[in-house]
């Protein structure tokens, strides 16, 4: 059974640009969550999607957006990149978080903004 | 208020010594509890979880954790540390007592193993 796949693994962008990150969840998982991880802030929740609907959103500016497709694959987009957006972005999928199923994480996308 | 508190952002132990990483949750209703491990530039890997049933949970790599409702704790232990245990460890909660269908993570504990 394939795990959670995130592409690309590494990305370097310039301030002001936009970026799109992709996440393919484990087959059958309809819940996909995104997290931003930085040394100073730890794991910060961005948003969670379930069956193409955003159910939860963290405290991030509107520059951060996401979507989920009918096959449960998800993308997140960051527009007008800032230096502070440099981070490891992690995607996680879960079968049924409200029933106690665990989150499975991808290896992350390391975004560097210069 | 913090949903999950991990006491000690850095813990150092000698190889072969007991590992104890602390985690406390804040909800009045027992949540689902998880411990994850993260190696540099990698995603998080599940060590163990508690949902219901036996309060002592055994996980991978010799780790275990005990859910103590009276102390609202879910501390992670390993009897004998190995060099390969050096990593970042995260406690997480979800479910009852927490809003939304999301996982709430602690700030992490970096474990150093001294040879």
């Amino acid at each position: 059974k394939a795990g959670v796949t995130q592409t690309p693994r590494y990305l370097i962008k310039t301030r002001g640009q936009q970026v799109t990150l992709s996440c393919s969840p484990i087959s059958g998982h309809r819940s996909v969550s995104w997290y931003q991880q930085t040394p100073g802030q730890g794991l910060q929740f961005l948003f969670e999607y379930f069956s193409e609907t955003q159910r939860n959103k963290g405290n991030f500016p509107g520059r951060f957006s996401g979507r989920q497709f009918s096959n449960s694959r998800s993308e997140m987009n960051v527009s007008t990149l800032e230096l502070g957006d440099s981070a490891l972005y992690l995607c996680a999928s879960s079968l049924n978080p409200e029933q106690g199923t665990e989150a499975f994480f991808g290896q992350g996308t390391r975004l560097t903004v210069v | 208020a913090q949903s999950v508190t991990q006491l000690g952002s850095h813990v150092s132990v000698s190889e072969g010594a007991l590992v104890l990483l602390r985690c406390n949750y804040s909800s009045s209703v027992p949540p689902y509890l998880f411990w994850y491990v993260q190696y540099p530039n990698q995603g998080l890997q599940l060590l163990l979880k508690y949902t219901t049933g036996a309060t002592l949970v055994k996980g991978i790599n010799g780790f275990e954790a005990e859910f103590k409702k009276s102390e609202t704790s879910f501390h992670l232990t390993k009897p004998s540390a190995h060099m390969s245990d050096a990593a970042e460890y995260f406690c997480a909660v979800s479910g009852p007592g927490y809003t939304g269908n999301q996982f709430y993570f602690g700030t992490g504990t970096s474990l150093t193993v001294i040879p």
Side-chain angles (χ1 to χ4, degrees):
Chain A
K1 193 172 182 180
V4 178
T5 303
Q6 290 188 247
T7 56
R9 286 292 312 276
Y10 301 92
L11 208 47
I12 299 175
K13 289 286 188 179
T14 304
R15 264 186 308 174
Q17 287 186 313
Q18 75 164 14
V19 67
T20 299
L21 311 181
S22 179
C23 172
S24 293
I26 290 173
S27 178
H29 288 191
R30 290 188 290 168
S31 171
V32 175
S33 300
W34 289 89
Y35 296 84
Q36 181 195 65
Q37 187 178 28
T38 57
Q41 299 295 320
L43 277 161
Q44 301 288 307
F45 172 73
L46 282 155
F47 24 68
E48 188 250 359
Y49 287 87
F50 187 90
S51 293
E52 302 180 67
T53 299
Q54 186 184 90
R55 295 198 297 187
N56 298 293
K57 190 177 192 307
N59 189 25
F60 277 82
R63 300 185 297 107
F64 291 81
S65 63
R67 58 179 176 169
Q68 186 181 33
F69 301 95
S70 58
N71 62 358
S72 293
R73 190 177 72 84
S74 178
E75 290 181 346
M76 67 163 281
N77 184 277
V78 188
S79 62
T80 320
L81 284 165
E82 300 177 359
L83 295 179
D85 297 333
S86 295
L88 181 66
Y89 289 87
L90 292 165
C91 167
S93 75
S94 182
L95 187 60
N96 206 339
E98 49 268 76
Q99 300 295 326
T101 60
E102 62 268 36
F104 292 84
F105 283 81
Q107 292 196 301
T109 294
R110 171 72 64 184
L111 172 65
T112 302
V113 182
V114 298
Chain B
Q2 281 283 349
S3 301
V4 185
T5 302
Q6 290 184 241
L7 286 175
S9 57
H10 298 276
V11 170
S12 294
V13 299
S14 297
E15 191 175 15
L18 171 72
V19 176
L20 171 60
L21 305 182
R22 299 176 188 274
C23 173
N24 288 86
Y25 62 90
S26 61
S27 79
S28 57
V29 179
Y32 305 126
L33 294 151
F34 309 84
W35 274 101
Y36 285 86
V37 62
Q38 185 181 32
Y39 298 99
N41 281 316
Q42 297 292 318
L44 278 66
Q45 178 185 8
L46 181 72
L47 281 174
L48 48 78
K49 71 173 185 180
Y50 170 80
T51 53
T52 60
T55 56
L56 182 61
V57 181
K58 294 188 185 299
I60 62 171
N61 302 340
F63 285 94
E64 62 183 37
E66 185 171 11
F67 167 62
K68 291 188 176 180
K69 183 179 176 181
S70 61
E71 298 177 7
T72 61
S73 70
F74 191 56
H75 301 332
L76 181 71
T77 60
K78 182 174 179 178
S80 177
H82 191 271
M83 296 298 295
S84 61
D85 294 328
E88 187 89 15
Y89 292 81
F90 293 91
C91 181
V93 299
S94 71
Y98 294 91
T99 58
N101 304 294
Q102 66 183 81
F103 295 83
Y104 294 81
F105 286 86
T107 51
T109 297
S110 177
L111 176 66
T112 299
V113 181
I114 303 165

